[in-house]
């Protein structure tokens, strides 16, 4: 009987691993740097550089990414955009809501620099970079996060590591779909 249960568990996890495989070369790494979590991710898409940049700067469209409940621009001036977001994480089946205001510095067709100006994390800052590789665009994300939570950091780290891969896969899928639509700005 134990071997049957083990086999079912193995099949379940094998199916899960196969279902999360993406054709966009999604690579995600989460590591600890002192009291911060360092998140690095990348993916490659066959879309134009213009469409890739428009996707990154579609702040309201971020609601299509799992975990982001609200995302709205609250100010825009001279290449700086402030975005208010509500994010919901589920840790041990407990929904945890986090609010933040993040300021993005736009670098046209190259990427974004961002930093939380207020919110529920002690620290959240990083970059998005776009690189034209000819037939594909390389999206590179890097951030430092210092959570502010009553839950132990090891629990938060575990759930971030186990949910972030699927979020970047969904983001890559959304960016690909976004890049398939003709846009006026990219013509």
């Amino acid at each position: 009987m134990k071997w049957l249960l083990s086999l079912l568990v193995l099949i379940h996890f094998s199916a899960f691993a196969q279902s999360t495989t993406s054709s966009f070369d999604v690579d995600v790494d989460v590591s600890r740097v002192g009291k911060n979590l360092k998140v690095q991710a990348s993916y490659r898409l066959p879309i134009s550089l213009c469409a890739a940049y428009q996707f990154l700067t579609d702040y309201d469209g971020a609601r299509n990414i799992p975990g982001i409940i609200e995302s709205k621009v609250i100010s825009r001036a001279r290449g700086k955009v402030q975005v208010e977001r509500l994010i919901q994480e589920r840790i041990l089946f407990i929904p945890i809501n986090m609010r933040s205001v993040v300021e993005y510095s736009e670098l046209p067709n190259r990427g974004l620099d961002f930093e939380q100006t207020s919110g529920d994390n002690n620290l959240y800052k990083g970059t998005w970079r776009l690189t034209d590789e000819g037939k594909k665009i390389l999206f590179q994300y890097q951030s430092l996060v210092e959570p502010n939570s009553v839950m132990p950091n090891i629990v938060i780290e575990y759930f971030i590591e186990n949910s972030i891969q699927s979020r970047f896969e969904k983001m890559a899928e959304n960016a690909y779909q976004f890049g398939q639509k003709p846009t006026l700005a990219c013509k």
Side-chain angles (χ1 to χ4, degrees), residues 66 89-90 158-168:
E89 294 284 345
R90 290 199 173 275
Y158 173 81
F159 283 94
I160 287 175
E161 285 177 350
N162 287 295
S163 69
I164 202 152
Q165 177 78 27
S166 63
R167 289 185 184 189
F168 275 98

Side-chain angles (χ1 to χ4, degrees), residues 53 56-60 72-85 101-106 112-115 117:
Y53 182 70
L56 286 183
T57 57
D58 181 19
Y59 306 106
D60 294 334
K72 63 180 178 180
V73 173
I74 55 176
S75 73
R76 184 184 298 264
R78 295 184 296 277
K80 302 246 188 227
V81 181
Q82 288 201 334
V83 177
E84 183 176 19
R85 288 210 170 129
V101 174
V102 177
E103 182 173 273
Y104 292 87
S105 297
E106 298 180 334
L112 301 168
D113 292 337
F114 59 88
E115 186 166 1
T117 57

Side-chain angles (χ1 to χ4, degrees), residues 29-74:
D29 180 59
V30 179
S31 59
R32 182 154 293 285
V33 178
K35 58 185 175 179
N36 300 326
L37 294 176
K38 181 178 182 179
V39 179
Q40 294 179 290
S42 64
Y43 52 88
R44 288 174 171 79
L45 301 175
I47 64 175
S48 72
L49 182 60
C50 178
Y53 182 70
Q54 283 189 332
F55 174 77
L56 286 183
T57 57
D58 181 19
Y59 306 106
D60 294 334
R63 290 184 303 264
N64 296 322
I65 297 167
I68 298 179
I69 307 299
E70 295 175 14
S71 181
K72 63 180 178 180
V73 173
I74 55 176

Side-chain angles (χ1 to χ4, degrees), residues 21 56 58 88 125-126 132 143-144 158 169-170 175 180 186:
T21 302
L56 286 183
D58 181 19
Q88 185 176 80
K125 67 179 182 176
D132 191 338
S143 69
L144 283 176
Y158 173 81
E169 287 173 357
K170 181 65 175 164
Q180 302 311 300
C186 290

